[in-house]
Structures are given as structure tokens and as C-alpha cells.
Amino acid sequence: VYALIEEDLENIVNNELLPGKMADSDLGRADLNAAKALLAKVYATHYRVGDEKYARAAQLCKEVLESESVGNPQSGSNLVAYDKIFSNEMNKEIIFAVRYLSGNVGLGSPFGNMFAPVNNGANVIIGTSSGYNTPTDNIIAAYELRGEGADKRLDVNVAQKYFNTTTQTWVTEGNCRYCKKYVNPVSTQYDGESDWPVIRVADIALLYAELTNEISGPSTDNLKYLNMVCERAGVSTYTLADLPSLYDFREAVRNERRLELAFENISMKDRNNTAPYQEKLKELTK
């Protein structure tokens, strides 16, 4: 299966079978950046440090980040504001998304109703709600560890209460939390407008930081991409002194991936054989 996936994507990327940027009338169709980003993720998942395709994954990420359509961001200020990513469809942050269209044409997004709290009485969204993907204490605490009240991503991703217009009170107990990213107003159940981002700029920036760290350790280059995600989120950035080892940098990237990409169905699986590093840690901590 991997061989088939790789062959298809390599053929597209190597022969530039897709345009570098789609015309506005075709936004949402896969372009060359989408193919490169997906191929990078395939390589990163399927191969290990030391393999040329693992190194190629980092190169593909860099090409995507430096492309005209992404704009070669150098800091958080060059990125789309986090609270605009999910409400402003096909913005510069989105590399590839599953698109939805409301209006009772059979193409609406169901996720608002799927994620809104059950029995919310249309105070969160019209129609039956399933309460799926409920945020946990653990993920909320993880945001707060990055600076209580500082991480802009928490309020975009998570609602911890909702207002009951009948009782004129805030519901703060029971089924009141929900994943907020995809909950936009609907007039008909399961007929939302929100697209579902599959690959976006921050994902590839953090993947590039991860891959280059695994290959050659922390550097000013990969630190820049980690920090731009932190800057946009409004949380503290890192210095090389903060992350002196490959292990420290890896942990910082993984934590940022979790907070940045929460509820987006992006795997956090360990992509590398870390046994040599674990053995080294055992030696150092004896």
C-alpha cells in the first residue's frame, strides 16, 4: 500500500502534474503543495532517520513553506491569525482541506452537530447534538501550562461553557464542554459551512522542525519554525539554550503539535526508532 501511495505522489511531485497554485475558481482542489506535503508526511511516517527519503521529507516541507502560495513565513506575524483559520475558508494557512457547502444541497458539514454538547437546547447549535470529541481536563491543563490565559488556541479550540438563553445563565456543569473549532451556526442540522483542514502550514512547519531535529539536532533554522507557531499562539518562545538536546527539542515540538493541531485528527504516533536515544538516556541518568 505504501509503495502505491509513494509511486502516485512521487509521479505527481517529480513531474509537476499539478499547478503550484490553483485559480480562485478551483480553490479546494489539490495543488502541488498539497501533494508535496502529503508525500513528506508519508516519508516521515514510513521511513527512519538515516534513510534518504526521511531527509527528502524535510526538503519537501521546506519547499512547501518557501512556496509563493504559503509565502515563506519567518515569524508568527507572517501567519494567519489562529482565530481566523477555521472561520475563513481556504485562507493562506490551508494547504489542503475537505470542503463543505451549506444551503440544504446535501454538501453540508455535520461536525458542528456532532461535536456540540448533547441537550444544549439550540443554545450552541440548532438540531440534535452528539457531544463527540469532548475536551478533557488533560488538554485544557496542557494549554494552561503554556501560560494561564495566554494561549490563544485554547478559546478557539475549546468552549468550557455556554449561555442558556432561556434561563439567562451560563451552563458550567455537566455536558457543557465542546470542541469549538467546527461549530458554526446552522439553520438545518448537519448543514454546516466549515471546511475540515487536512494539512495546514503550522503542521508542515512543525513537521520540518521535527524532521531536521531528528536528522541533525536543534538549530536556529528549525527553532525558527517551532517558535513562529508559538509566537502566533501568544505563548513563550524557546532559545537553543532551552532545548539543548535532540530529546528536549523533540519533546517541545510534540507538545506544540498537540496544542496547535488539537481535534484535527492528526496522528501523534512516534515516527522514529528512538531506542538508541532511550539507551543513551538510561546511561546518562544512572
Side-chain angles (χ1 to χ4, degrees), residues 34 41 43 58-60 62 78 94 98 125 145 180 187 192 206-208 210 221 223 251 257 269 281:
K41 298 186 89 170
Y43 283 163
Q59 182 184 344
L60 287 166
K62 190 74 163 175
N78 300 139
I94 306 302
V98 175
I125 197 168
L145 280 173
K180 192 177 171 185
S187 55
L206 290 171
L207 181 58
Y208 175 76
E210 175 187 336
D221 181 46
L223 185 68
E251 290 300 294
R257 285 188 69 85
K269 73 178 283 292
L281 280 172

Side-chain angles (χ1 to χ4, degrees), residues 29-51:
R29 294 181 182 276
D31 59 16
L32 195 58
N33 270 345
K36 286 182 176 181
L38 182 56
L39 183 56
K41 298 186 89 170
V42 170
Y43 283 163
T45 305
H46 194 47
Y47 297 97
R48 294 181 175 179
V49 180
D51 192 290

Side-chain angles (χ1 to χ4, degrees), residues 15-75:
N15 295 298
E16 298 187 357
L17 300 183
L18 288 170
K21 186 179 186 302
M22 282 291 175
D24 289 347
S25 58
D26 283 325
L27 283 182
R29 294 181 182 276
D31 59 16
L32 195 58
N33 270 345
K36 286 182 176 181
L38 182 56
L39 183 56
K41 298 186 89 170
V42 170
Y43 283 163
T45 305
H46 194 47
Y47 297 97
R48 294 181 175 179
V49 180
D51 192 290
E52 66 177 75
K53 288 192 174 181
Y54 191 91
R56 174 67 175 146
Q59 182 184 344
L60 287 166
C61 288
K62 190 74 163 175
E63 289 175 12
V64 170
L65 293 167
E66 292 180 347
S67 67
E68 181 182 354
S69 57
V70 171
N72 195 18
Q74 298 297 303
S75 69

Side-chain angles (χ1 to χ4, degrees), residues 164-264:
N164 186 316
T165 56
T166 302
T167 62
Q168 292 293 295
T169 59
W170 285 98
V171 178
T172 58
E173 302 291 337
N175 299 317
C176 61
R177 284 184 187 168
Y178 58 97
C179 167
K180 192 177 171 185
K181 270 181 175 174
Y182 311 103
V183 180
N184 288 317
V186 299
S187 55
T188 304
Q189 180 174 299
Y190 302 139
D191 193 43
E193 182 69 25
S194 300
D195 293 344
W196 186 284
V198 176
I199 306 176
R200 57 186 182 87
V201 172
D203 181 8
I204 298 305
L206 290 171
L207 181 58
Y208 175 76
E210 175 187 336
L211 294 170
T212 51
N213 175 63
E214 297 296 333
I215 293 167
S216 54
S219 69
T220 54
D221 181 46
N222 51 31
L223 185 68
K224 175 180 72 176
Y225 288 101
L226 170 59
N227 276 341
M228 72 170 62
V229 174
C230 298
E231 287 168 8
R232 174 170 67 181
V235 297
S236 58
T237 56
Y238 297 95
T239 67
L240 288 176
D242 296 324
L243 307 173
S245 71
L246 183 151
Y247 176 82
D248 293 326
F249 194 97
R250 179 196 295 146
E251 290 300 294
V253 170
R254 287 181 178 176
N255 184 61
E256 229 50 58
R257 285 188 69 85
R258 182 189 183 206
L259 301 177
E260 176 72 20
L261 305 169
F263 310 105
E264 293 183 42

